[in-house]
Amino acid sequence: MTALLTEKNGTAPRSTAPGSPPSAPRRRPGRERAFDDVPRWQIYLPLGLYLLFTLVPFYWMLLFAVRPAGSTSLVPWPMTGAHFSKVWNERSFAVFFQNSMIVGVATLVATTLVALAGGYALARFDFRIKGAFMLALLCSQFIPGALMLVPLFEIFRSLQMINSLGSVVIAETVFQLPLSIILISGFIKNVPVSLEEAAWVDGCSRFTAFRTVVLPLLRPGLIAVGSFAFVHSWNHFLFALMFLSEQDKQTIPVGLNTLIGADSVDLGALAAGGVIAAVPVVVVFAFIQKWLITGFSAGAVKG
């Protein structure tokens, strides 16, 4: 009877001997996953077109940066560094680069520390306005920074912080905090509370348990939040334009804007400045790519 049922159903008989593990069911023909049958060119062709669409503007910028002035060649040969020397020495890009680095690093540190404290409070404590506070953080993401320029300018003017890099750091940190706090709270929720409780039993204080047990596990999340804050402050143009009027306090995005004249544009110098502005971001993402993907995927999972 078993053999007849096997022939009729098209499946292999399962072992019924005592103590023997059940055999895995055989996969029926046509049950393979759909993407196994997709031709490779249907995957590589869209990816190749997207990669071409992404890299062509970068190649065009690099071409103008290293190509001699007046040349129309599509191949950067012979190459020249005159445009880089011009923007670095004559157009004060060395000062702009230093100012952007100060703003970026300070924003990274401030955003990470404040978001770490706020995220821990949201993840580990319950209070009455917790839901309203989370809603306010989410709603604040819909407010564009341009709407807050006039109030921020008046506040910094009363504090005598206009033409100070600190004003840009504070503004960038404030606008980065809502998303950073939400992400950090998601990272902390994924760390079991039992790990902290075990440290408390061993005599550690809350801060010591957090520093020795929880903080090392948050490395991917901290790298993700810090790199996002750094890149945003490095590329942001509006705050630096409004709060910094002296040339020796301006950042790279404002410096690039000064290369665009009313009647003409020095494309070689502008492209060289764009390459200088893009190099730190590319280097940062090249080194933290693995941590960045791990951090964002960990923060998206509810603990």
Side-chain angles (χ1 to χ4, degrees):
M1 179 64 68
T2 303
L4 293 176
L5 290 175
T6 301
E7 290 183 4
K8 183 177 181 180
N9 297 333
T11 58
R14 298 185 179 181
S15 174
T16 57
S20 61
S23 59
R26 296 176 58 187
R27 179 177 295 179
R28 296 182 182 180
R31 289 289 185 177
E32 291 81 3
R33 291 176 295 180
F35 60 82
D36 289 340
D37 299 330
V38 176
R40 292 300 179 184
W41 68 268
Q42 294 186 9
I43 299 176
Y44 294 138
L45 181 61
L47 292 178
L49 292 176
Y50 176 76
L51 186 63
L52 182 66
F53 178 79
T54 304
L55 293 181
V56 163
F58 286 97
Y59 176 77
W60 201 253
M61 179 177 65
L62 185 62
L63 177 65
F64 274 92
V66 300
R67 191 173 64 180
S71 175
T72 58
S73 174
L74 295 179
V75 179
W77 190 263
M79 293 188 295
T80 179
H83 300 305
F84 291 97
S85 177
K86 180 179 180 180
V87 297
W88 191 262
N89 298 318
E90 300 179 14
R91 296 302 184 95
S92 303
F93 258 69
V95 178
F96 299 156
F97 188 91
Q98 180 181 356
N99 294 336
S100 292
M101 189 63 67
I102 293 174
V103 171
V105 173
T107 303
L108 183 154
V109 174
T111 302
T112 303
L113 292 178
V114 178
L116 193 60
Y120 184 84
L122 290 177
R124 291 291 191 257
F125 297 100
D126 291 325
F127 44 93
R128 287 185 178 180
I129 62 171
K130 181 177 179 179
F133 183 73
M134 290 290 293
L135 181 62
L137 288 178
L138 292 174
C139 292
S140 65
Q141 296 299 296
F142 299 100
I143 301 176
L147 292 180
M148 304 301 295
L149 282 178
V150 175
L152 287 175
F153 186 86
E154 291 297 327
I155 292 173
F156 292 140
R157 187 166 66 98
S158 62
L159 295 175
Q160 298 181 356
M161 295 186 64
I162 299 298
N163 290 324
S164 171
L165 295 179
S167 60
V168 181
V169 172
I170 294 175
E172 293 288 351
T173 302
V174 168
F175 277 88
Q176 290 297 314
L177 276 179
L179 180 61
S180 300
I181 290 176
I182 294 173
L183 290 176
I184 288 290
S185 65
F187 302 143
I188 296 177
K189 286 179 182 178
N190 291 330
V191 179
V193 185
S194 58
L195 296 178
E196 289 185 83
E197 293 175 347
W200 299 342
V201 172
D202 292 338
C204 295
S205 63
R206 181 179 289 272
F207 177 76
T208 304
F210 172 77
R211 180 175 56 85
T212 58
V213 177
V214 179
L215 193 59
L217 301 177
L218 298 180
R219 184 183 302 173
L222 295 178
I223 293 176
V225 171
S227 60
F228 188 77
F230 175 83
V231 171
H232 186 273
S233 62
W234 179 274
N235 294 326
H236 204 195
F237 170 76
L238 196 57
F239 290 153
L241 178 66
M242 292 298 298
F243 303 147
L244 305 173
S245 58
E246 298 179 1
Q247 185 176 3
D248 60 344
K249 297 295 181 63
Q250 292 174 349
T251 58
I252 279 186
V254 182
L256 289 174
N257 186 58
T258 60
L259 298 177
I260 303 176
D263 301 323
S264 62
V265 179
D266 189 347
L267 293 179
L270 186 62
V275 172
I276 294 174
V279 165
V281 178
V282 173
V283 171
V284 167
F285 276 101
F287 279 99
I288 68 171
Q289 180 182 6
K290 180 181 69 174
W291 296 105
L292 189 64
I293 296 174
T294 305
F296 276 119
S297 60
V301 179
K302 183 178 180 181

